[in-house]
């Protein structure tokens, strides 16, 4: 709760410094976001945000190191508590081109604004795109508590016969899962236990198809977010 209160206070301060923000409707279109970012950059009385550097992994780096490195980079972004997206990710209700996913991930890195679970999965795909020994599967969870419905997505990573996951959530046990699960059923069951711990009832789990490593420059190649329900 303290982290959320801090983020809300930061947003109030930002709107006070830029009154035009109070009238914006989120998520912003790409051109609107570009204008706002330019205005922020013009101010010399604001603290400079940290510059996030994309991690570089050696080709012979062990799976655990790559897995933890990807998650650490995702967690270096602040969580977006505003309830609105800073990036035009268009959610995961429809399949998207791999090219667009990669381009949005690059924009996320460049702008270093707070993110949510969808942007975290985009980053996971981007960072593992050159790792051809890694199989990537998106998993979507639809849950409910006290009549309120929630959607969440994580990215499973499978290599050398073991599975783990990367992502971002307000709950630490609903994002990262350490590398070492033997089957897809085991890691999904672990998430299910985490949801039950937070009194969420899981209504549906959707599993996408493996995300290809080639074709990130071809608009025609798509990411299938939910193939199996």
């Amino acid at each position: 709760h303290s982290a959320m209160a801090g983020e809300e206070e930061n947003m109030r301060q930002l709107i006070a410094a830029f009154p035009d923000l109070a009238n914006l409707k989120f998520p912003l279109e790409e051109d609107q976001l570009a204008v706002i970012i330019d205005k922020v950059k013009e101010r010399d009385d604001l603290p400079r945000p940290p510059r996030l550097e994309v991690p570089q992994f050696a080709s012979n780096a062990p799976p655990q190191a790559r897995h933890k490195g990807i998650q650490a980079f995702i967690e270096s972004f602040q969580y977006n508590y505003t309830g609105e997206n800073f990036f035009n990710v268009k959610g995961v209700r429809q399949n998207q081109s791999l090219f667009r996913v990669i381009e949005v991930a690059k924009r996320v890195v460049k702008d270093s604004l707070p993110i949510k679970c969808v942007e975290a999965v985009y980053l996971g795909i981007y960072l593992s795109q050159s790792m051809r020994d890694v199989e990537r599967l998106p998993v979507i969870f639809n849950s409910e508590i006290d009549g309120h419905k929630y959607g969440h997505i994580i990215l499973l990573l499978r290599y050398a016969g073991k599975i783990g996951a990367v992502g971002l959530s307000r709950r630490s046990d609903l994002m990262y899962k350490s590398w070492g699960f033997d089957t897809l059923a085991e890691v999904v069951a672990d998430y299910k236990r985490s949801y039950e711990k937070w009194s969420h009832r899981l209504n549906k789990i959707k599993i996408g198809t493996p995300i290809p490593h080639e074709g990130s420059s071809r608009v025609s190649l798509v990411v299938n977010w939910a193939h199996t329900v």
Side-chain angles (χ1 to χ4, degrees):
H1 292 292
S2 60
M4 188 182 300
E7 294 293 340
E8 290 175 349
E9 177 59 28
N10 289 341
M11 181 58 65
R12 283 194 290 268
Q13 293 177 2
L14 184 60
I15 292 176
F18 300 93
D20 291 345
L21 287 179
N23 300 319
L24 290 174
K25 299 295 183 182
F26 291 87
L28 299 177
E29 296 295 332
E30 294 286 346
D31 56 344
Q32 290 178 305
L33 181 62
V35 170
I36 294 300
I37 291 174
D38 287 341
K39 286 184 177 181
V40 171
K41 289 179 177 178
E42 290 172 359
R43 296 285 295 268
D44 56 8
D45 59 330
L46 297 175
R48 290 290 177 184
R51 178 66 65 179
L52 299 176
E53 297 292 337
V54 176
Q56 301 296 321
F57 302 102
S59 59
N60 60 346
Q64 299 94 325
R66 288 182 282 166
H67 189 116
K68 291 180 179 179
I70 291 172
Q71 182 63 31
F73 183 71
I74 290 173
E75 290 188 41
S76 68
F77 289 79
Q78 291 184 329
Y79 188 86
N80 179 5
Y81 290 97
T82 66
E84 304 290 348
N85 292 323
F86 289 116
F87 301 95
N88 193 13
V89 294
K90 298 188 182 300
V92 290
R93 294 181 180 177
Q94 60 187 24
N95 298 336
Q96 297 177 29
S97 73
L98 180 58
F99 173 80
R100 186 179 185 281
V101 168
I102 298 296
E103 289 303 304
V104 172
K106 292 177 180 178
R107 181 64 179 268
V108 171
V109 173
K110 179 176 180 292
D111 295 339
S112 299
L113 293 171
I115 63 173
K116 293 192 285 187
C117 62
V118 176
E119 295 96 318
V121 167
Y122 278 35
L123 288 171
I125 294 171
Y126 172 48
L127 293 176
S128 60
Q129 188 61 20
S130 63
M131 301 177 186
R132 294 182 176 272
D133 59 331
V134 178
E135 183 179 4
R136 292 91 50 86
L137 288 172
V139 180
I140 297 173
F141 300 93
N142 295 127
S143 66
E144 184 176 347
I145 182 172
D146 298 331
H148 298 284
K149 296 182 178 180
Y150 297 89
H152 181 51
I153 185 170
I154 54 90
L155 185 68
L156 294 184
L157 303 178
R158 175 161 52 193
Y159 28 69
K162 300 291 184 179
I163 305 173
V166 296
L168 194 65
S169 170
R170 301 181 190 190
R171 307 294 190 185
S172 61
D173 52 357
L174 292 178
M175 50 183 195
Y176 173 77
K177 296 295 181 181
S178 61
W179 179 73
F181 291 88
D182 291 316
T183 66
L184 178 61
E186 287 180 7
V187 67
V188 169
D190 192 86
Y191 277 106
K192 185 175 183 293
R193 286 190 291 270
S194 296
Y195 271 100
E196 291 171 349
K197 170 185 173 184
W198 299 110
S199 302
H200 275 245
R201 180 166 65 89
L202 269 177
N203 294 329
K204 191 175 294 185
I205 300 173
K206 305 174 184 177
I207 301 173
T209 55
I211 298 169
H213 291 277
E214 71 282 354
S216 61
S217 61
R218 300 209 312 269
V219 177
S220 60
L221 211 154
V222 301
V223 176
N224 190 335
W225 298 115
H227 177 70
T228 303
V229 177

